[in-house]
Amino acid sequence: MLLLALETSCDETSAAVVSDGVVRANVVSSQVRLHAEYGGVVPELAAREHLRNLMTVVELALRQAHTEPTGFEAVAATRGPGLPGALLTGMRAAQALAFTLRRPFLGVHHHEAHLYSPWIEGEPPRARFDLFEPNVSLIVSGGHTLLVHVEAELSHRVLGATLDDAAGECFDKVGKMLGLPYPAGAHIERLAREGDARAWDFPRPMLDEPGDDFSFSGLKTAVRYHLRDHPTLVGDPQAVRDLCASVQAAIVEVLVTKTLRAAQRLGVPCVTASGGVTRNRALREALDQACAEAGLTLRLAPAALCTDNAAMIGVLAERKLLRGIVADDYDTEIAPDWALG
Ligand code: KG4
Ligand code: ZN
């Protein structure tokens, strides 16, 4: 099945061409520089920027895949959750194309697509549903921190989520306090490499509490108080590196411990992870080590597909359509709740 997928839920405009599980094109135009000036994503600007770039991104994807719109047998787009104005741009473009071609349209849940991105591998990227195992999946980005039990293919249950800030948001807000550019996650990771993670003992929020929820705002506040109590710290490069390493260690420990705990409790053979924060090498290595020790398979989304992309939307949409799932046809609900069970 030749399928076009669009993703415009936040600040990445992306179009992908997927065919028989193979990602034949995945073009991503990031708005990160536009929003950096404001220290975060400005919803109205994001929507306008999607409108400005979407057709160029689609054109590039068509060229990369050596195909024409008339060749598409289905069209998909992210239907939510995300910024409503931003989502509308991709949804409407995809629906209009599907309508014109008289082909099915499928609205895809953004988080559900993240759940399957770790199953995409190789070059060209190919979805390996044939390798699927029940798993506990960690989705960590600037907007979300979720633990999900994927009991079977296309069947999942949310175990927990952040009660306040997402893990990526915590990286970004700590970065802001340190005067680092937005988004700060990669900058903190770079500085942390030469820092001492044991320099400061920051809280590990909700680590010892039962349940699978997360909370990161307390950690952010602890860093704020720490900087208030150590006013010269920001001017000392080594102290900044130590702080970055200590904060990163706290975030990584919470994410890894809670993910592994859920996986062992549920008896799944596999752990997966995706979302922008999964680019963090300390997190990848810690998950790798913990899963090896626990005898669990680990599947991490490829670096290029950790952040938002249309490839994961297309891969999931094709899988659903091939199984006759067209329930989301022309679904106009933009930000539905995560379907439980
Ligand atoms: O998935 P994503 O592109 O967008 C959404 O938020 O949906 O994730 C972006 C987030 C930002 O918070 C950014 O700081 C974080 O991912 N991030 C990282 C790294 N690279 C990106 N966090 C920690 N270490 C990284 N290397
Ligand atoms: Zn995402």
PDB file of all heavy atoms in Angstrom, residues 10-12 110 114 140-144 167-169 171-172 182-187 189 248 275-281 306-308, ligand 1:
ATOM      1  N   CYS A  10       3.173  19.627  16.564  1.00  0.00           N
ATOM      2  CA  CYS A  10       3.858  20.608  17.417  1.00  0.00           C
ATOM      3  C   CYS A  10       4.729  21.517  16.546  1.00  0.00           C
ATOM      4  O   CYS A  10       4.205  22.337  15.812  1.00  0.00           O
ATOM      5  CB  CYS A  10       4.647  19.869  18.496  1.00  0.00           C
ATOM      6  SG  CYS A  10       5.319  20.966  19.747  1.00  0.00           S
ATOM      7  N   ASP A  11       6.031  21.353  16.604  1.00  0.00           N
ATOM      8  CA  ASP A  11       6.887  22.287  15.865  1.00  0.00           C
ATOM      9  C   ASP A  11       7.727  21.611  14.786  1.00  0.00           C
ATOM     10  O   ASP A  11       8.744  22.150  14.367  1.00  0.00           O
ATOM     11  CB  ASP A  11       7.788  23.075  16.832  1.00  0.00           C
ATOM     12  CG  ASP A  11       8.685  22.187  17.668  1.00  0.00           C
ATOM     13  OD1 ASP A  11       8.423  20.979  17.738  1.00  0.00           O
ATOM     14  OD2 ASP A  11       9.653  22.707  18.247  1.00  0.00           O
ATOM     15  N   GLU A  12       7.315  20.413  14.358  1.00  0.00           N
ATOM     16  CA  GLU A  12       7.959  19.782  13.219  1.00  0.00           C
ATOM     17  C   GLU A  12       6.922  19.578  12.126  1.00  0.00           C
ATOM     18  O   GLU A  12       5.872  18.992  12.377  1.00  0.00           O
ATOM     19  CB  GLU A  12       8.571  18.421  13.595  1.00  0.00           C
ATOM     20  CG  GLU A  12      10.039  18.466  13.935  1.00  0.00           C
ATOM     21  CD  GLU A  12      10.279  18.483  15.428  1.00  0.00           C
ATOM     22  OE1 GLU A  12       9.379  18.035  16.158  1.00  0.00           O
ATOM     23  OE2 GLU A  12      11.351  18.968  15.845  1.00  0.00           O
ATOM     24  N   HIS A 110      -1.048  10.534  17.986  1.00  0.00           N
ATOM     25  CA  HIS A 110       0.392  10.811  18.007  1.00  0.00           C
ATOM     26  C   HIS A 110       1.166   9.863  18.934  1.00  0.00           C
ATOM     27  O   HIS A 110       2.223   9.348  18.574  1.00  0.00           O
ATOM     28  CB  HIS A 110       0.591  12.266  18.452  1.00  0.00           C
ATOM     29  CG  HIS A 110       2.004  12.710  18.452  1.00  0.00           C
ATOM     30  ND1 HIS A 110       2.653  13.122  17.315  1.00  0.00           N
ATOM     31  CD2 HIS A 110       2.913  12.802  19.440  1.00  0.00           C
ATOM     32  CE1 HIS A 110       3.896  13.451  17.611  1.00  0.00           C
ATOM     33  NE2 HIS A 110       4.092  13.267  18.907  1.00  0.00           N
ATOM     34  N   HIS A 114       4.146   6.930  18.323  1.00  0.00           N
ATOM     35  CA  HIS A 114       5.433   6.835  19.029  1.00  0.00           C
ATOM     36  C   HIS A 114       5.673   5.398  19.523  1.00  0.00           C
ATOM     37  O   HIS A 114       6.801   4.916  19.513  1.00  0.00           O
ATOM     38  CB  HIS A 114       5.444   7.769  20.249  1.00  0.00           C
ATOM     39  CG  HIS A 114       5.985   9.140  19.951  1.00  0.00           C
ATOM     40  ND1 HIS A 114       7.255   9.352  19.451  1.00  0.00           N
ATOM     41  CD2 HIS A 114       5.451  10.377  20.123  1.00  0.00           C
ATOM     42  CE1 HIS A 114       7.471  10.651  19.319  1.00  0.00           C
ATOM     43  NE2 HIS A 114       6.387  11.301  19.705  1.00  0.00           N
ATOM     44  N   VAL A 140       9.091   9.760  25.971  1.00  0.00           N
ATOM     45  CA  VAL A 140       9.598  10.936  26.694  1.00  0.00           C
ATOM     46  C   VAL A 140       9.965  12.046  25.722  1.00  0.00           C
ATOM     47  O   VAL A 140      10.908  11.920  24.942  1.00  0.00           O
ATOM     48  CB  VAL A 140      10.872  10.642  27.535  1.00  0.00           C
ATOM     49  CG1 VAL A 140      10.551  10.510  28.984  1.00  0.00           C
ATOM     50  CG2 VAL A 140      11.659   9.479  27.000  1.00  0.00           C
ATOM     51  N   SER A 141       9.236  13.141  25.795  1.00  0.00           N
ATOM     52  CA  SER A 141       9.525  14.261  24.907  1.00  0.00           C
ATOM     53  C   SER A 141       9.392  15.564  25.687  1.00  0.00           C
ATOM     54  O   SER A 141       9.312  15.561  26.914  1.00  0.00           O
ATOM     55  CB  SER A 141       8.546  14.245  23.732  1.00  0.00           C
ATOM     56  OG  SER A 141       7.260  14.575  24.195  1.00  0.00           O
ATOM     57  N   GLY A 142       9.363  16.672  24.948  1.00  0.00           N
ATOM     58  CA  GLY A 142       9.201  17.967  25.602  1.00  0.00           C
ATOM     59  C   GLY A 142       7.787  18.157  26.124  1.00  0.00           C
ATOM     60  O   GLY A 142       7.538  18.940  27.039  1.00  0.00           O
ATOM     61  N   GLY A 143       6.837  17.423  25.528  1.00  0.00           N
ATOM     62  CA  GLY A 143       5.441  17.594  25.915  1.00  0.00           C
ATOM     63  C   GLY A 143       4.895  16.438  26.745  1.00  0.00           C
ATOM     64  O   GLY A 143       3.873  16.598  27.409  1.00  0.00           O
ATOM     65  N   HIS A 144       5.546  15.280  26.677  1.00  0.00           N
ATOM     66  CA  HIS A 144       4.956  14.088  27.296  1.00  0.00           C
ATOM     67  C   HIS A 144       5.965  13.209  28.001  1.00  0.00           C
ATOM     68  O   HIS A 144       7.109  13.102  27.573  1.00  0.00           O
ATOM     69  CB  HIS A 144       4.245  13.240  26.235  1.00  0.00           C
ATOM     70  CG  HIS A 144       3.379  14.050  25.337  1.00  0.00           C
ATOM     71  ND1 HIS A 144       2.163  14.535  25.727  1.00  0.00           N
ATOM     72  CD2 HIS A 144       3.594  14.511  24.094  1.00  0.00           C
ATOM     73  CE1 HIS A 144       1.651  15.250  24.746  1.00  0.00           C
ATOM     74  NE2 HIS A 144       2.493  15.264  23.742  1.00  0.00           N
ATOM     75  N   ALA A 167       9.603  15.200  31.065  1.00  0.00           N
ATOM     76  CA  ALA A 167      11.050  15.101  31.304  1.00  0.00           C
ATOM     77  C   ALA A 167      11.817  16.087  30.412  1.00  0.00           C
ATOM     78  O   ALA A 167      12.753  16.760  30.866  1.00  0.00           O
ATOM     79  CB  ALA A 167      11.517  13.674  31.055  1.00  0.00           C
ATOM     80  N   GLY A 168      11.395  16.190  29.147  1.00  0.00           N
ATOM     81  CA  GLY A 168      12.082  17.119  28.235  1.00  0.00           C
ATOM     82  C   GLY A 168      11.911  18.563  28.678  1.00  0.00           C
ATOM     83  O   GLY A 168      12.819  19.387  28.565  1.00  0.00           O
ATOM     84  N   GLU A 169      10.720  18.842  29.203  1.00  0.00           N
ATOM     85  CA  GLU A 169      10.418  20.189  29.702  1.00  0.00           C
ATOM     86  C   GLU A 169      11.354  20.520  30.872  1.00  0.00           C
ATOM     87  O   GLU A 169      11.806  21.664  31.011  1.00  0.00           O
ATOM     88  CB  GLU A 169       8.970  20.171  30.174  1.00  0.00           C
ATOM     89  CG  GLU A 169       8.284  21.487  30.286  1.00  0.00           C
ATOM     90  CD  GLU A 169       6.817  21.269  30.701  1.00  0.00           C
ATOM     91  OE1 GLU A 169       6.308  20.123  30.603  1.00  0.00           O
ATOM     92  OE2 GLU A 169       6.206  22.246  31.136  1.00  0.00           O
ATOM     93  N   PHE A 171      14.407  19.294  31.316  1.00  0.00           N
ATOM     94  CA  PHE A 171      15.698  19.626  30.695  1.00  0.00           C
ATOM     95  C   PHE A 171      15.672  21.067  30.183  1.00  0.00           C
ATOM     96  O   PHE A 171      16.602  21.843  30.396  1.00  0.00           O
ATOM     97  CB  PHE A 171      15.971  18.694  29.506  1.00  0.00           C
ATOM     98  CG  PHE A 171      16.655  17.394  29.856  1.00  0.00           C
ATOM     99  CD1 PHE A 171      15.965  16.186  29.797  1.00  0.00           C
ATOM    100  CD2 PHE A 171      17.994  17.364  30.226  1.00  0.00           C
ATOM    101  CE1 PHE A 171      16.596  14.987  30.103  1.00  0.00           C
ATOM    102  CE2 PHE A 171      18.634  16.168  30.530  1.00  0.00           C
ATOM    103  CZ  PHE A 171      17.933  14.973  30.473  1.00  0.00           C
ATOM    104  N   ASP A 172      14.586  21.411  29.486  1.00  0.00           N
ATOM    105  CA  ASP A 172      14.508  22.744  28.857  1.00  0.00           C
ATOM    106  C   ASP A 172      14.457  23.860  29.900  1.00  0.00           C
ATOM    107  O   ASP A 172      15.078  24.915  29.736  1.00  0.00           O
ATOM    108  CB  ASP A 172      13.276  22.822  27.938  1.00  0.00           C
ATOM    109  CG  ASP A 172      13.387  21.867  26.759  1.00  0.00           C
ATOM    110  OD1 ASP A 172      14.520  21.459  26.425  1.00  0.00           O
ATOM    111  OD2 ASP A 172      12.340  21.509  26.183  1.00  0.00           O
ATOM    112  N   TYR A 182      17.202  27.186  23.787  1.00  0.00           N
ATOM    113  CA  TYR A 182      16.066  26.259  23.729  1.00  0.00           C
ATOM    114  C   TYR A 182      16.110  25.495  22.408  1.00  0.00           C
ATOM    115  O   TYR A 182      16.388  26.117  21.383  1.00  0.00           O
ATOM    116  CB  TYR A 182      14.751  27.033  23.847  1.00  0.00           C
ATOM    117  CG  TYR A 182      13.535  26.202  23.535  1.00  0.00           C
ATOM    118  CD1 TYR A 182      12.916  25.456  24.526  1.00  0.00           C
ATOM    119  CD2 TYR A 182      13.036  26.136  22.228  1.00  0.00           C
ATOM    120  CE1 TYR A 182      11.826  24.670  24.231  1.00  0.00           C
ATOM    121  CE2 TYR A 182      11.937  25.345  21.932  1.00  0.00           C
ATOM    122  CZ  TYR A 182      11.338  24.625  22.934  1.00  0.00           C
ATOM    123  OH  TYR A 182      10.259  23.841  22.639  1.00  0.00           O
ATOM    124  N   PRO A 183      15.805  24.230  22.349  1.00  0.00           N
ATOM    125  CA  PRO A 183      15.586  23.328  23.479  1.00  0.00           C
ATOM    126  C   PRO A 183      16.924  22.889  24.079  1.00  0.00           C
ATOM    127  O   PRO A 183      17.887  22.669  23.342  1.00  0.00           O
ATOM    128  CB  PRO A 183      14.849  22.158  22.844  1.00  0.00           C
ATOM    129  CG  PRO A 183      15.242  22.166  21.398  1.00  0.00           C
ATOM    130  CD  PRO A 183      15.601  23.572  21.038  1.00  0.00           C
ATOM    131  N   ALA A 184      16.948  22.732  25.390  1.00  0.00           N
ATOM    132  CA  ALA A 184      18.233  22.623  26.081  1.00  0.00           C
ATOM    133  C   ALA A 184      18.724  21.189  26.282  1.00  0.00           C
ATOM    134  O   ALA A 184      19.875  20.987  26.680  1.00  0.00           O
ATOM    135  CB  ALA A 184      18.127  23.312  27.441  1.00  0.00           C
ATOM    136  N   GLY A 185      17.872  20.197  26.005  1.00  0.00           N
ATOM    137  CA  GLY A 185      18.235  18.812  26.318  1.00  0.00           C
ATOM    138  C   GLY A 185      19.610  18.403  25.786  1.00  0.00           C
ATOM    139  O   GLY A 185      20.449  17.889  26.536  1.00  0.00           O
ATOM    140  N   ALA A 186      19.834  18.639  24.494  1.00  0.00           N
ATOM    141  CA  ALA A 186      21.106  18.215  23.895  1.00  0.00           C
ATOM    142  C   ALA A 186      22.275  19.009  24.475  1.00  0.00           C
ATOM    143  O   ALA A 186      23.376  18.479  24.624  1.00  0.00           O
ATOM    144  CB  ALA A 186      21.039  18.380  22.384  1.00  0.00           C
ATOM    145  N   HIS A 187      22.051  20.283  24.819  1.00  0.00           N
ATOM    146  CA  HIS A 187      23.125  21.108  25.411  1.00  0.00           C
ATOM    147  C   HIS A 187      23.482  20.585  26.795  1.00  0.00           C
ATOM    148  O   HIS A 187      24.652  20.518  27.164  1.00  0.00           O
ATOM    149  CB  HIS A 187      22.692  22.579  25.504  1.00  0.00           C
ATOM    150  CG  HIS A 187      22.419  23.182  24.167  1.00  0.00           C
ATOM    151  ND1 HIS A 187      23.427  23.563  23.306  1.00  0.00           N
ATOM    152  CD2 HIS A 187      21.259  23.464  23.534  1.00  0.00           C
ATOM    153  CE1 HIS A 187      22.886  24.037  22.194  1.00  0.00           C
ATOM    154  NE2 HIS A 187      21.571  23.996  22.306  1.00  0.00           N
ATOM    155  N   GLU A 189      23.056  17.552  27.835  1.00  0.00           N
ATOM    156  CA  GLU A 189      23.755  16.276  27.655  1.00  0.00           C
ATOM    157  C   GLU A 189      25.245  16.518  27.332  1.00  0.00           C
ATOM    158  O   GLU A 189      26.122  15.865  27.897  1.00  0.00           O
ATOM    159  CB  GLU A 189      23.116  15.461  26.529  1.00  0.00           C
ATOM    160  CG  GLU A 189      23.878  14.169  26.307  1.00  0.00           C
ATOM    161  CD  GLU A 189      23.364  13.294  25.177  1.00  0.00           C
ATOM    162  OE1 GLU A 189      22.390  13.653  24.500  1.00  0.00           O
ATOM    163  OE2 GLU A 189      23.965  12.230  24.984  1.00  0.00           O
ATOM    164  N   GLN A 248      20.775  15.522  34.958  1.00  0.00           N
ATOM    165  CA  GLN A 248      20.553  14.451  33.980  1.00  0.00           C
ATOM    166  C   GLN A 248      20.485  13.097  34.676  1.00  0.00           C
ATOM    167  O   GLN A 248      19.619  12.261  34.372  1.00  0.00           O
ATOM    168  CB  GLN A 248      21.679  14.463  32.946  1.00  0.00           C
ATOM    169  CG  GLN A 248      21.546  13.381  31.887  1.00  0.00           C
ATOM    170  CD  GLN A 248      22.626  13.485  30.829  1.00  0.00           C
ATOM    171  OE1 GLN A 248      22.462  14.169  29.835  1.00  0.00           O
ATOM    172  NE2 GLN A 248      23.739  12.817  31.049  1.00  0.00           N
ATOM    173  N   GLY A 275      10.615   9.288  21.547  1.00  0.00           N
ATOM    174  CA  GLY A 275      10.421  10.693  21.941  1.00  0.00           C
ATOM    175  C   GLY A 275      11.770  11.402  22.008  1.00  0.00           C
ATOM    176  O   GLY A 275      12.814  10.754  22.164  1.00  0.00           O
ATOM    177  N   GLY A 276      11.725  12.712  21.901  1.00  0.00           N
ATOM    178  CA  GLY A 276      12.952  13.513  21.789  1.00  0.00           C
ATOM    179  C   GLY A 276      14.012  13.225  22.849  1.00  0.00           C
ATOM    180  O   GLY A 276      15.210  13.175  22.543  1.00  0.00           O
ATOM    181  N   VAL A 277      13.594  12.995  24.087  1.00  0.00           N
ATOM    182  CA  VAL A 277      14.569  12.782  25.169  1.00  0.00           C
ATOM    183  C   VAL A 277      15.313  11.448  24.991  1.00  0.00           C
ATOM    184  O   VAL A 277      16.418  11.272  25.501  1.00  0.00           O
ATOM    185  CB  VAL A 277      13.865  12.859  26.556  1.00  0.00           C
ATOM    186  CG1 VAL A 277      14.842  12.609  27.693  1.00  0.00           C
ATOM    187  CG2 VAL A 277      13.205  14.225  26.734  1.00  0.00           C
ATOM    188  N   THR A 278      14.715  10.549  24.216  1.00  0.00           N
ATOM    189  CA  THR A 278      15.370   9.253  23.971  1.00  0.00           C
ATOM    190  C   THR A 278      16.645   9.420  23.135  1.00  0.00           C
ATOM    191  O   THR A 278      17.426   8.493  22.975  1.00  0.00           O
ATOM    192  CB  THR A 278      14.387   8.282  23.281  1.00  0.00           C
ATOM    193  OG1 THR A 278      13.156   8.335  23.989  1.00  0.00           O
ATOM    194  CG2 THR A 278      14.869   6.861  23.316  1.00  0.00           C
ATOM    195  N   ARG A 279      16.864  10.626  22.603  1.00  0.00           N
ATOM    196  CA  ARG A 279      18.134  10.887  21.919  1.00  0.00           C
ATOM    197  C   ARG A 279      19.283  10.958  22.918  1.00  0.00           C
ATOM    198  O   ARG A 279      20.445  10.869  22.550  1.00  0.00           O
ATOM    199  CB  ARG A 279      18.073  12.218  21.167  1.00  0.00           C
ATOM    200  CG  ARG A 279      17.115  12.210  20.029  1.00  0.00           C
ATOM    201  CD  ARG A 279      17.201  13.503  19.280  1.00  0.00           C
ATOM    202  NE  ARG A 279      17.981  13.306  18.072  1.00  0.00           N
ATOM    203  CZ  ARG A 279      17.712  13.881  16.929  1.00  0.00           C
ATOM    204  NH1 ARG A 279      16.727  14.714  16.830  1.00  0.00           N
ATOM    205  NH2 ARG A 279      18.451  13.654  15.876  1.00  0.00           N
ATOM    206  N   ASN A 280      18.947  11.160  24.175  1.00  0.00           N
ATOM    207  CA  ASN A 280      19.968  11.339  25.207  1.00  0.00           C
ATOM    208  C   ASN A 280      20.763  10.039  25.405  1.00  0.00           C
ATOM    209  O   ASN A 280      20.190   9.002  25.713  1.00  0.00           O
ATOM    210  CB  ASN A 280      19.275  11.751  26.517  1.00  0.00           C
ATOM    211  CG  ASN A 280      20.268  12.066  27.603  1.00  0.00           C
ATOM    212  OD1 ASN A 280      20.897  11.171  28.137  1.00  0.00           O
ATOM    213  ND2 ASN A 280      20.408  13.337  27.912  1.00  0.00           N
ATOM    214  N   ARG A 281      22.083  10.163  25.227  1.00  0.00           N
ATOM    215  CA  ARG A 281      22.889   8.934  25.265  1.00  0.00           C
ATOM    216  C   ARG A 281      22.974   8.324  26.661  1.00  0.00           C
ATOM    217  O   ARG A 281      23.057   7.118  26.812  1.00  0.00           O
ATOM    218  CB  ARG A 281      24.274   9.193  24.694  1.00  0.00           C
ATOM    219  CG  ARG A 281      24.371   8.547  23.308  1.00  0.00           C
ATOM    220  CD  ARG A 281      25.776   8.519  22.796  1.00  0.00           C
ATOM    221  NE  ARG A 281      26.106   9.826  22.247  1.00  0.00           N
ATOM    222  CZ  ARG A 281      27.339  10.235  22.011  1.00  0.00           C
ATOM    223  NH1 ARG A 281      28.366   9.477  22.314  1.00  0.00           N
ATOM    224  NH2 ARG A 281      27.556  11.436  21.481  1.00  0.00           N
ATOM    225  N   CYS A 306      13.311   9.591  16.844  1.00  0.00           N
ATOM    226  CA  CYS A 306      12.949   9.865  18.244  1.00  0.00           C
ATOM    227  C   CYS A 306      12.055  11.086  18.310  1.00  0.00           C
ATOM    228  O   CYS A 306      11.025  11.093  18.973  1.00  0.00           O
ATOM    229  CB  CYS A 306      14.212  10.133  19.073  1.00  0.00           C
ATOM    230  SG  CYS A 306      15.068   8.633  19.539  1.00  0.00           S
ATOM    231  N   THR A 307      12.470  12.131  17.606  1.00  0.00           N
ATOM    232  CA  THR A 307      11.668  13.357  17.595  1.00  0.00           C
ATOM    233  C   THR A 307      10.504  13.172  16.612  1.00  0.00           C
ATOM    234  O   THR A 307      10.451  12.184  15.882  1.00  0.00           O
ATOM    235  CB  THR A 307      12.533  14.568  17.192  1.00  0.00           C
ATOM    236  OG1 THR A 307      13.313  14.198  16.070  1.00  0.00           O
ATOM    237  CG2 THR A 307      13.460  14.970  18.319  1.00  0.00           C
ATOM    238  N   ASP A 308       9.586  14.132  16.615  1.00  0.00           N
ATOM    239  CA  ASP A 308       8.368  13.959  15.836  1.00  0.00           C
ATOM    240  C   ASP A 308       8.653  13.816  14.337  1.00  0.00           C
ATOM    241  O   ASP A 308       9.473  14.549  13.780  1.00  0.00           O
ATOM    242  CB  ASP A 308       7.419  15.133  16.105  1.00  0.00           C
ATOM    243  CG  ASP A 308       6.906  15.076  17.539  1.00  0.00           C
ATOM    244  OD1 ASP A 308       7.025  14.005  18.167  1.00  0.00           O
ATOM    245  OD2 ASP A 308       6.395  16.108  18.017  1.00  0.00           O
TER     246      ASP A 308
HETATM  247  O1  KG4 B   1       9.847  14.686  20.635  1.00  0.00           O
HETATM  248  P1  KG4 B   1      10.300  16.118  20.617  1.00  0.00           P
HETATM  249  O2  KG4 B   1      11.061  16.593  19.415  1.00  0.00           O
HETATM  250  O3  KG4 B   1       9.101  17.106  20.704  1.00  0.00           O
HETATM  251  C1  KG4 B   1       8.072  17.117  21.604  1.00  0.00           C
HETATM  252  O4  KG4 B   1       8.266  17.702  22.672  1.00  0.00           O
HETATM  253  O5  KG4 B   1       7.007  16.553  21.264  1.00  0.00           O
HETATM  254  O6  KG4 B   1      11.149  16.339  21.935  1.00  0.00           O
HETATM  255  C2  KG4 B   1      11.808  17.534  22.214  1.00  0.00           C
HETATM  256  C3  KG4 B   1      12.384  17.435  23.600  1.00  0.00           C
HETATM  257  C4  KG4 B   1      12.930  18.751  24.123  1.00  0.00           C
HETATM  258  O7  KG4 B   1      12.460  18.939  25.427  1.00  0.00           O
HETATM  259  C5  KG4 B   1      14.438  18.534  24.099  1.00  0.00           C
HETATM  260  O8  KG4 B   1      15.123  19.275  25.092  1.00  0.00           O
HETATM  261  C6  KG4 B   1      14.531  17.048  24.342  1.00  0.00           C
HETATM  262  O9  KG4 B   1      13.468  16.490  23.619  1.00  0.00           O
HETATM  263  N1  KG4 B   1      15.803  16.492  23.877  1.00  0.00           N
HETATM  264  C7  KG4 B   1      16.731  15.984  24.702  1.00  0.00           C
HETATM  265  C8  KG4 B   1      17.825  15.615  23.882  1.00  0.00           C
HETATM  266  N2  KG4 B   1      17.518  15.906  22.587  1.00  0.00           N
HETATM  267  C9  KG4 B   1      16.264  16.434  22.598  1.00  0.00           C
HETATM  268  N3  KG4 B   1      16.730  15.813  26.021  1.00  0.00           N
HETATM  269  C10 KG4 B   1      17.826  15.273  26.582  1.00  0.00           C
HETATM  270  N4  KG4 B   1      18.932  14.922  25.872  1.00  0.00           N
HETATM  271  C11 KG4 B   1      18.967  15.064  24.537  1.00  0.00           C
HETATM  272  N5  KG4 B   1      20.046  14.706  23.847  1.00  0.00           N
END
